[in-house]
Amino acid sequence: MTADFKSMSLAAVDQTVVGWLEQLATQAREAVTHKLTVSTKDHDARNLVTNVDRSNEEWLDQQIRTLDPDAKVVSEEGFGDHPTDMSGDVWFVDPIDGTMNFVHEHTDFAIMVAWYRDGKPKLGWIIDVMAHHIFHGGPEMGVFENDQQLPKQADVDLDQAVFALSGRHLMQADSSYQEVGRSVLAFRVLGSAGITFARILAGQLNGYYAELQPWDFAAGQVMAKTLGLEVTNVDGKPLDMLSSNAVIVTTSSAHREVITLLKS
Ligand code: IPD
Ligand code: CA
Ligand code: CA
C-alpha cells in the first residue's frame, strides 16, 4: 500500500484529491439550505460547526490514510493526528472553511486539503464550493483554476493593493490591522481564508493579513508561493506549520512595505 502511494505520479495524486473535493462539494451544495445541524465550539457563539464539517473531515482523513498509510493528518474537528514535527508526509484538512458563511450566507465557503513532504509543499487544493471552481497545484506542476493554468502574479505596491483583513482583529481595534487597513488601496473582510486565497490566486485580491491555523493557510500557501507571492509571519519569517500564525500573503513589494510598517 505504501509503495503504491510513493510510486504514484503527482498528477495522479492531484486528480485523486480533485475527485474527493468535487464529490464533497456536490454534497455540500445539496446540504447547504436544508440539511445542516449547527452547534457552537469553545463556548463562542461565533464559532460554528456543522454535521457537514464533521462528516467531511472524518471522510477526508480516512481517504488520505487509505491513499497514504504513512500520512499524518492535521485537521480541525478532532479526527486528525497531532504531529510534533513536519517529517514525512503531513496532510492538512479544513473540511468547511468559512462555516459562518456556509450556515448564514450559503456562499463563499471552501473545502481545503494540502500535502507537504518533509516540510516542503507538494500540492494544495481549495474548492470554492458554490462557484464550482477548484484551485489546485504546487511547485512541481504549477497552479490551476479548474483546468486553466494560472499565471505568476504581477507585483503591486501596498498603496495600490486590495487586501483582505481579519474582521475580528479590526473589530477588536488591533492597531496593526488598522495600520494595514489605512495603508492599502482598499480592504475587504470575506469570512473565509480559503475564498481569500482563491481570490488572491485568481488575481482578484492582492493580499491578506489574518491570524490563521495551519489548516486555514496550508493549501493557500502551497499555491500562492508557486505563483511568486510571499507568505510569511509578521516578522517576514516562514510560517510555523504546526501552530497558529499571524499570516501575511502578498506580492514582494507590498510585502516589504507591510513588514516594515508592522516593525515600526
Ligand atoms: C475561519 C475562516 C475565517 C478566519 C478564521 C477561520 P472556519 O475558518 O477562515 O475567515 O478569519 O480565523 O477560523 O472556522 O470557518 O473553518
Ligand atoms: Ca473549518
Ligand atoms: Ca478554516
Side-chain angles (χ1 to χ4, degrees):
M1 194 74 107
T2 306
D4 286 346
F5 178 68
K6 299 285 188 234
S7 63
M8 260 174 102
S9 71
L10 209 62
V13 177
D14 177 46
Q15 283 310 305
T16 299
V17 180
V18 166
W20 297 344
L21 294 190
E22 284 176 343
Q23 184 179 328
L24 292 182
T26 301
Q27 291 166 12
R29 283 190 294 272
E30 282 163 14
V32 73
T33 46
H34 58 279
K35 279 192 207 153
L36 295 184
T37 309
V38 184
S39 43
T40 58
K41 289 192 289 189
D42 306 327
H43 311 288
D44 178 354
R46 290 180 171 143
N47 195 355
L48 305 184
V49 60
T50 74
N51 55 312
V52 178
D53 295 61
R54 292 203 181 93
S55 63
N56 278 3
E57 179 168 313
E58 187 171 17
W59 188 81
L60 276 171
D61 288 12
Q62 188 195 321
Q63 295 301 116
I64 291 166
R65 288 179 177 124
T66 304
L67 179 75
D68 177 6
D70 295 334
K72 287 167 273 180
V73 187
V74 178
S75 55
E76 184 174 11
E77 308 299 349
F79 297 95
D81 309 309
H82 299 280
T84 52
D85 62 48
M86 286 291 288
S87 61
D89 287 329
V90 183
W91 292 72
F92 296 85
V93 171
D94 193 333
I96 292 285
D97 176 72
T99 303
M100 185 64 85
N101 291 354
F102 179 49
V103 172
H104 288 281
E105 296 190 35
H106 304 158
T107 192
D108 286 343
F109 59 91
I111 307 169
M112 301 195 278
V113 174
W115 167 37
Y116 288 66
R117 175 166 284 167
D118 294 324
K120 295 198 182 65
K122 293 292 283 183
L123 289 171
W125 298 262
I126 299 173
I127 191 160
D128 176 341
V129 173
M130 300 311 283
H132 297 250
H133 280 200
I134 184 157
F135 295 79
H136 56 116
E140 294 160 71
M141 63 173 263
V143 178
F144 293 79
E145 179 177 358
N146 295 336
D147 295 331
Q148 191 77 38
Q149 185 158 12
L150 294 171
K152 291 253 181 193
Q153 297 276 320
D155 200 9
V156 291
D157 292 333
L158 193 58
D159 64 1
Q160 291 306 306
V162 180
F163 257 60
L165 295 176
S166 153
R168 183 165 54 89
H169 284 89
L170 286 171
M171 189 177 69
Q172 291 165 347
D174 183 321
S175 60
S176 73
Y177 286 79
Q178 293 180 327
E179 194 62 37
V180 174
R182 279 193 286 270
S183 305
V184 292
L185 180 65
F187 70 84
R188 304 286 182 257
V189 176
L190 300 185
S192 160
I195 296 299
T196 302
F197 270 106
R199 301 248 165 104
I200 292 173
L201 298 170
Q204 297 168 308
L205 275 179
N206 311 111
Y208 188 24
Y209 176 27
E211 182 75 32
L212 298 173
Q213 296 288 341
W215 46 80
D216 295 316
F217 64 73
Q221 170 171 253
V222 175
M223 293 185 274
K225 282 191 166 175
T226 301
L227 295 187
L229 293 152
E230 302 286 340
V231 183
T232 70
N233 67 18
V234 285
D235 298 319
K237 301 257 164 54
L239 301 179
D240 179 344
M241 293 304 302
L242 299 175
S243 68
S244 150
N245 292 250
V247 177
I248 308 269
V249 186
T250 190
T251 67
S252 55
S253 293
H255 183 262
R256 256 192 315 276
E257 292 175 73
V258 173
I259 298 299
T260 309
L261 188 76
L262 296 180
K263 255 188 212 148
S264 56

